[in-house]
Amino acid sequence: MPRTALSLIAFLFASSATAAPPDFDKQIAPLLAARCVDCHSGPKPKGKLDLSRKAGVFATDAPAVVPGKPASSSLWERVVAGEMPPKKPLPEAEQKLLKEWIESGAKWGTDPIDPFRFTTDARAGYDWWAIQPVTRPKVPEVPDAKPRAFNTIDRFIVAKLSDRGLSLSPEADRRTLIRRVHFDLTGLPPSPEEVDAFVRDTDATAYEKVVDRLLASPHYGERWARHWLDVVRYGETDGFERNTPRENSWHYRDWVIRALNADVPYTEFVRLQLAGDVFQPGDPDATRATGFLVAGVHNTVLGNDQMRAIARQDELEDIVGGVAQTFLGLTANCARCHDHKFDPISQADFYRLASALGGVGFGERPAPDAKTTSEIAKLVKELGAVTKKLAALEDPARKAVLTEKGMGKTDKLAPAPIAAWDFRRGSDDLIGKLHVKLVGGAKLTSEGAVLDGKTALLRTSALPFDLKAKTLEAWVKLDSLSQRGGGIISVQTPDGNEFDAIVFGENEPARWMAGSNGFVRYKSFGGSEEKGATNEFVHFAITFSADGTITGYRNGERYGAGYAPRGALGFQAEKAVVVFGCRHEPAGGNRMLAGTVSAARLYDKALSHEEIEASFRSGGGFVSEAELAAKLGPEDRATRTALRMQHETLAARLGTLRQLAANAKIYANVPQAPGVTRVLIRGDLATPAAVVAPAGLSALTGPKADFGLAPNATDADRRKKLAEWITAPNNPLFGRVIVNRVWHYHFGTGIVETPNDFGFNGGRPSHPELLDWLATEFADRKYSLKSLHKLIVTSAAYRQASAPRKDASAKDADNRLLWRYKPHRLEGEVVRDLMLTASGLLNREVGGKGFSDYKMRDFNGTAYFDPFDPVGPEFHRRSVYRFTPRGANQGLLDAFDCPDPAAAAPRRAVTTTPLQALALWNNGFALRTADALAARVAKEADGVEKQVTRAWLLAYQRPPSGDELKLAVKLVNDHGLKALGRVLFNSNEFVIVE
């Protein structure tokens, strides 16, 4: 614990009764460290006076101290005049000690002075309580309070209460207790039936069985993952100016849920988040875990080299802060520009930690899955063999049919597309299942799809495959050559924000072009003006190569010259559609085509000139199944049927695996070369100082801070050593911090009330011996979080009633001694989940990509998110699966203090405002769930009284009292069940757990 000013004076004068001069290391150095060295030390000490070093104090040109002569010593002159320290002059006793030291010869000791050597009333030192070794304390001997037995936790609590003349409160009633533990462990209420069963169960182990059931529930992981995500500042956008969404960051959230449900030992839980890709290379789950390192904000607007370097230093500060506060409970990030002002963390310590994390990079990476990759390769080979057999069987027959139709004008057979449409015959895809839907008045005639240039378009379902290299082609007749920008065929993301298309006349009148979002892949082909497309159908095709090369063709001939823009655009399976008659959606304006498209094809490769010409010569003709069968003999038809079935089976499996592989991209740590780290004076890039090697915090007792690595060590070695150092069994903060964090969520306040700060500015432990006992017990239980939860929630302290007591309130108003269970309001996410549960709308699906109740809009390159209330089962999932952008209005959750993920929230604010009542009364979601609750009770109960009782049980897990029933029945008779739902939601009992 930090010494007060009085204790510091007592310490300094411990040997003042003797005639010996003051001991420099034991008395003078702590005084200077506490009062002077913060300002007068380092590369740029104030007044150019360095009081931390002997050479600075006894400088030959202007000594601050003249041994034996206080009156000639400038330091003493300033001190005795009350000028130093400037804001708080030295107390008289400390002045006397300083003077005695100078008079006795000013003998110097350890050089330089270590400001962290001792704890003072101004800062923590090496003797700070939190960084001392954890030892298992003796358990206090206290008698059980019949009829309940105490566990070890209770003995520490009761001993402390007894010292203040207090005692535990009686045990809570069973309805209160099951409601409390349900919300605590799963974030969901017990069903009325579960409450009734527990209340009736007289078995002595009934409560323990409930706890075991809840810890085994998949909803446990969801509940405690939400707490963890608060701590690690998990958000699903980058923040800063662009605030770009992170489409695949949810993999980390899901990993946390799975890891907690599996009760992964906390040591492993931490190691995987710091270096999972190093400890378990090739394991997709271990890679997902590293999403922790990049859970925070990321600046993507970097400017010049200097701005990028500054942004990287800011980023590293955030990463260091996140790691140190999450796992060590220390604000190490505060030592970036100078030694920590309050904790024994030097600036060099900060940069050593920064070096250990210097290879952390933000971005997406594929989830390495060797099994899936191998299976895809095998299927591709098998499918190729079947395709080759089919081609050998079908090509001669197909060519014969086309020749008879007068369409086989080339010896080379037209290439096989992955989708093909003949709008003269209908809207179906003649190859697969990309059938089109007619939108906005589009019509199919004997000439093809007629498009009006205003609202008409055709749209397919989502592509079931990835698509990067591709060819788009169509036969089109235009209504006018003066139109400027209509799209013939376009592959686009569903929102139309990204697309590749065949476009007419947008940038150059009467010329064809490759359309793309923001013209990022556009250059002029330099082709000739279109002359004949209003009189006859013109064939136009554009190839998009994997290397980005784009080439146009008109009627089988090259149109102008191809070009290579900056890379190709790839589309993921299920995240792209094909549209006809529109450059890209949303429909409207010059994006729309006025004309007729007779036929079109899509290929998953860039066709050669020869293949384009063959396709053009085919005239857009297609061979029907009947025509093809007529050209084959009975034996060939049977062989073909078997091959087609085999082809479809293989293609379906391949498509599924490719979709899985495409979706396996995860937002996680993307390692980069870390480089060599230097201390930056005042945190300024322009003043680099000494090179440092990756290391831990030197002040911690226990694990050796020196990792034994060179300054240019690899990223893998750095993070591996860091993870091992943090999770070392003798790290004094590792266990203390997590058991305190868990305690905080169970009781509303931690044993240390600042879960992320065990330093000087943080709280002091209310029960220090209990904290250390829990830390050692946690280790003995093999770092099992579920075991820790059970230990806590089965304690008598946790099971207390919550009623206030005047005697106890007078002595401990904040309940820090835990004489009762303190009621607490549910978090915004739990309130939302509770409304969905009561109304019967909750979708309990666990895991997977979440849902969004935002409409995203882009303005000048910045993403903005506007909340709305979408309807449907996919939007009624638990709030932990909700898309969480940074800096966005969170709707109903905002009213209940849901934190912005731009910063860590180890303790959530709890406010009481009129907006909360208004939100529960008028918010669209509240109204909709109140309506659903009304519909549910009307279905589940007959008669108003039974319906009111059912509503009470669903909302409060108890029946109404006589007076409540009477008033509620009248309300329902006067205003209906919907009004009752709104009243129940808008009550303290609904949102508060006792």
Side-chain angles (χ1 to χ4, degrees):
M1 298 294 178
R3 294 183 173 83
T4 62
L6 183 61
S7 64
L8 174 62
I9 293 169
F11 170 74
L12 296 175
F13 281 88
S15 59
S16 61
T18 68
D23 183 286
F24 180 82
D25 284 330
K26 293 182 179 179
Q27 295 171 285
I28 301 304
L31 187 157
L32 293 175
R35 310 299 189 192
C36 311
V37 166
D38 274 352
C39 295
H40 295 283
S41 64
K44 296 181 180 179
K46 287 190 176 180
K48 298 182 180 180
L49 173 60
D50 187 348
L51 295 178
S52 69
R53 298 176 181 275
K54 182 177 181 180
V57 174
F58 302 109
T60 53
D61 54 341
V65 171
V66 178
K69 299 179 180 180
S72 302
S73 301
S74 60
L75 174 62
W76 173 249
E77 290 177 358
R78 301 291 295 276
V79 167
V80 77
E83 297 175 5
M84 285 182 60
K87 294 181 180 179
K88 189 177 180 181
L90 283 186
E92 184 177 342
E94 293 183 24
Q95 289 187 30
K96 181 180 178 182
L97 185 66
L98 182 63
K99 186 177 182 182
E100 286 182 2
W101 173 66
I102 296 173
E103 287 176 336
S104 66
K107 184 179 178 181
W108 195 266
T110 303
D111 190 42
I113 292 173
D114 187 344
F116 303 138
R117 188 167 182 179
F118 298 105
T119 294
T120 70
D121 64 342
R123 64 175 305 138
Y126 296 134
D127 55 349
W128 183 246
W129 72 269
I131 57 177
Q132 302 312 303
V134 177
T135 57
R136 194 175 183 89
K138 182 180 178 181
V139 179
E141 295 182 6
V142 296
D144 286 346
K146 302 298 183 181
R148 56 182 173 179
F150 291 151
N151 69 12
T152 308
I153 287 174
D154 299 315
R155 301 189 188 285
F156 285 101
I157 299 295
V158 170
K160 200 90 168 180
L161 287 168
S162 299
D163 290 344
R164 296 287 298 274
L166 297 172
S167 62
L168 293 174
S169 293
E171 183 163 303
D173 65 82
R174 290 173 82 80
R175 174 260 174 190
T176 297
L177 194 56
I178 191 173
R179 191 170 190 265
R180 178 189 300 170
V181 76
H182 258 264
F183 278 117
D184 236 8
L185 292 180
T186 68
L188 295 172
S191 69
E193 295 72 25
E194 288 170 329
V195 175
D196 185 62
F198 178 64
V199 169
R200 294 174 183 274
D201 193 342
T202 58
D203 190 328
T205 62
Y207 177 71
E208 187 175 344
K209 289 177 181 176
V210 169
V211 172
D212 289 340
R213 172 173 59 81
L214 296 176
L215 289 172
S217 165
H219 302 308
Y220 156 78
E222 294 172 330
R223 170 60 162 161
W224 284 83
R226 181 61 267 168
H227 292 322
W228 186 257
L229 298 177
D230 277 2
V231 174
V232 305
R233 73 246 187 268
Y234 169 81
E236 294 178 79
T237 60
D238 286 335
F240 287 98
E241 182 179 341
R242 299 296 185 206
N243 207 21
T244 306
R246 298 173 176 175
E247 296 291 341
N248 289 304
S249 61
W250 60 270
H251 287 280
Y252 171 68
R253 175 251 294 151
D254 264 20
W255 176 84
V256 174
I257 293 172
R258 289 196 304 274
L260 293 175
N261 277 331
D263 200 22
V264 171
Y266 184 65
T267 46
E268 185 73 1
F269 182 70
V270 173
R271 278 197 291 262
L272 290 174
Q273 292 181 79
L274 292 170
D277 53 340
V278 178
F279 287 110
Q280 298 177 19
D283 182 346
D285 248 14
T287 302
R288 291 183 181 98
T290 66
F292 160 78
L293 293 168
V294 293
V297 295
H298 175 50
N299 190 354
T300 57
V301 183
L302 299 177
N304 58 33
D305 289 346
Q306 183 181 15
M307 292 174 67
R308 279 194 288 273
I310 293 172
R312 179 58 178 170
Q313 290 300 313
D314 292 342
E315 194 165 78
L316 282 172
E317 179 186 341
D318 182 64
I319 295 170
V320 168
V323 169
Q325 291 175 45
T326 299
F327 303 124
L328 302 175
L330 290 177
T331 56
N333 49 303
C334 294
R336 173 183 172 184
C337 301
H338 47 69
D339 290 348
H340 201 293
K341 294 292 186 182
F342 303 102
D343 298 331
I345 304 172
S346 68
Q347 189 184 19
D349 277 338
F350 168 84
Y351 283 100
R352 292 185 190 109
L353 271 182
S355 177
L357 293 161
V360 172
F362 289 70
E364 288 192 342
R365 57 189 290 182
D369 187 348
K371 183 179 178 181
T372 302
T373 303
S374 175
E375 191 171 352
I376 287 174
K378 181 182 177 184
L379 285 171
V380 167
K381 187 175 181 180
E382 291 177 6
L383 189 62
V386 173
T387 302
K388 190 173 181 180
K389 290 178 182 178
L390 273 171
L393 194 67
E394 294 177 345
D395 284 358
R398 183 176 285 109
K399 189 170 183 180
V401 173
L402 291 174
T403 299
E404 290 174 3
K405 291 182 176 183
M407 296 178 180
K409 300 176 183 178
T410 176
D411 289 337
K412 185 171 179 61
L413 192 66
I418 54 173
W421 303 267
D422 187 345
F423 298 125
R424 298 164 296 189
R425 298 167 57 185
S427 59
D428 286 354
D429 173 10
L430 301 174
I431 303 295
K433 296 182 179 180
L434 289 177
H435 310 313
V436 300
K437 180 179 179 181
L438 279 64
V439 179
K443 299 177 182 178
L444 297 184
T445 70
S446 59
E447 282 201 324
V450 178
L451 306 157
D452 63 7
K454 298 177 181 178
T455 58
L457 61 87
L458 284 69
R459 184 193 306 114
T460 71
S461 55
L463 273 61
F465 41 75
D466 290 351
L467 187 66
K468 188 172 185 181
K470 53 192 167 290
T471 298
L472 310 180
E473 70 171 351
W475 283 261
V476 60
K477 185 162 68 173
L478 303 176
D479 288 353
S480 167
L481 296 178
S482 62
Q483 56 185 299
R484 299 294 301 274
I488 290 78
I489 176 175
S490 175
V491 182
Q492 63 163 40
T493 53
D495 56 12
N497 284 342
E498 293 186 311
F499 64 94
D500 278 327
I502 298 176
V503 176
F504 183 76
E506 184 181 11
N507 264 27
E508 299 175 290
R511 284 179 169 83
W512 302 94
M513 61 174 277
S516 61
N517 39 291
F519 300 103
V520 294
R521 288 173 297 285
Y522 164 75
K523 287 184 182 179
S524 172
F525 287 129
S528 60
E529 283 192 11
E530 180 59 55
K531 302 289 186 183
T534 54
N535 301 317
E536 61 182 0
F537 281 91
V538 168
H539 172 261
F540 203 88
I542 298 181
T543 63
F544 300 83
S545 299
D547 65 3
T549 302
I550 296 176
T551 310
Y553 299 88
R554 183 186 182 280
N555 286 348
E557 299 298 328
R558 194 181 296 274
Y559 182 74
Y563 59 89
R566 52 178 191 181
L569 173 64
F571 296 93
Q572 292 184 16
E574 304 300 330
K575 293 184 179 180
V577 297
V578 181
V579 293
F580 302 91
C582 179
R583 186 167 75 246
H584 67 91
E585 293 184 281
N590 72 337
R591 294 187 286 273
M592 311 307 291
L593 176 78
T596 302
V597 178
S598 66
R601 292 174 181 171
L602 173 67
Y603 303 82
D604 59 357
K605 66 175 183 176
L607 299 185
S608 67
H609 188 171
E610 187 180 28
E611 288 172 319
I612 292 286
E613 183 179 10
S615 182
F616 164 64
R617 296 296 178 192
S618 75
F622 297 92
V623 179
S624 69
E625 283 292 306
E627 291 170 331
L628 193 59
K631 288 293 180 183
L632 296 173
E635 187 177 337
D636 285 344
R637 283 199 295 271
T639 302
R640 179 176 178 272
T641 299
L643 287 172
R644 293 295 297 179
M645 290 178 64
Q646 188 180 357
H647 188 281
E648 288 178 10
T649 301
L650 291 170
R653 176 60 181 159
L654 183 59
T656 299
L657 287 178
R658 280 177 167 167
Q659 183 175 340
L660 286 173
N663 291 338
K665 287 183 179 174
I666 54 179
Y667 194 90
N669 173 45
V670 180
Q672 59 187 34
V676 172
T677 302
R678 290 179 178 272
V679 174
L680 302 179
I681 306 303
R682 300 294 178 189
D684 188 350
L685 280 164
T687 54
V691 170
V692 293
L697 300 178
S698 55
L700 265 66
T701 57
K704 189 177 180 181
D706 185 356
F707 294 170
L709 296 176
N712 63 346
T714 65
D715 164 71
D717 287 342
R718 298 183 195 207
R719 286 190 289 122
K720 182 174 183 286
K721 288 290 187 180
L722 176 66
E724 291 170 346
W725 176 78
I726 286 177
T727 60
N730 59 344
N731 185 325
L733 285 167
F734 182 67
R736 281 179 175 137
V737 168
I738 186 58
V739 298
N740 182 73
R741 204 180 289 288
V742 172
W743 187 275
H744 160 79
Y745 288 119
H746 282 304
F747 287 97
T749 304
I751 296 173
V752 176
E753 60 187 336
T754 51
N756 266 25
D757 190 358
F758 275 44
F760 186 83
N761 281 343
R764 306 299 182 263
S766 58
H767 300 76
E769 295 82 8
L770 173 58
L771 180 66
D772 278 9
W773 183 85
L774 284 170
T776 56
E777 183 69 11
F778 183 50
D780 288 350
R781 293 176 182 235
K782 298 181 179 179
Y783 299 97
S784 165
L785 286 167
K786 286 189 176 182
S787 179
L788 178 62
H789 287 302
K790 185 173 181 178
L791 179 65
I792 292 173
V793 301
T794 55
S795 69
Y798 178 84
R799 295 165 67 169
Q800 294 180 93
S802 59
R805 290 160 34 199
K806 287 186 178 180
D807 64 321
S809 296
K811 295 180 179 180
D812 181 27
D814 292 333
N815 193 38
R816 292 290 284 137
L817 299 179
L818 295 174
W819 49 268
R820 68 164 176 154
Y821 182 88
K822 192 173 183 179
H824 63 274
R825 198 196 67 210
L826 296 169
E827 306 97 304
E829 293 94 331
V830 182
V831 172
R832 177 185 175 276
D833 293 351
L834 178 53
M835 294 166 79
L836 288 170
T837 304
S839 63
L841 295 176
L842 183 66
N843 175 354
R844 293 175 182 258
E845 179 187 352
V846 176
K849 189 163 187 177
F851 67 94
S852 175
D853 52 7
Y854 288 99
K855 291 181 179 179
M856 191 183 87
R857 55 189 172 88
D858 183 279
F859 182 71
N860 290 338
T862 297
Y864 293 89
F865 302 91
D866 301 316
F868 76 116
D869 180 30
V871 178
E874 67 271 30
F875 302 109
H876 295 161
R877 300 182 67 194
R878 293 197 66 178
S879 301
V880 72
Y881 299 111
R882 178 177 166 274
F883 174 61
T884 52
R886 293 181 163 94
N889 180 330
Q890 303 199 62
L892 175 69
L893 303 190
D894 261 357
F896 287 92
D897 307 303
C898 186
D900 189 293
R907 292 187 299 173
R908 286 199 175 191
V910 180
T911 63
T912 302
T913 71
L915 289 177
Q916 291 161 356
L918 290 171
L920 289 175
W921 190 252
N922 293 321
N923 179 272
F925 177 82
L927 292 173
R928 188 161 58 78
T929 49
D931 290 353
L933 174 61
R936 178 181 182 181
V937 298
K939 182 179 179 181
E940 294 179 359
D942 295 324
V944 174
E945 286 195 5
K946 290 183 178 180
Q947 289 169 348
V948 167
T949 299
R950 184 60 178 166
W952 234 263
L953 289 169
L954 292 170
Y956 301 149
Q957 294 78 55
R958 67 171 178 84
S961 67
D963 288 343
E964 288 171 333
L965 181 62
K966 183 179 178 180
L967 289 170
V969 167
K970 185 178 187 306
L971 174 67
V972 173
N973 287 331
D974 291 346
H975 301 286
L977 282 169
K978 294 179 181 179
L980 177 63
R982 294 174 72 189
V983 169
L984 293 177
F985 289 167
N986 210 328
S987 63
N988 282 344
E989 187 172 356
F990 187 75
V991 299
I992 289 177
V993 171
E994 294 185 340

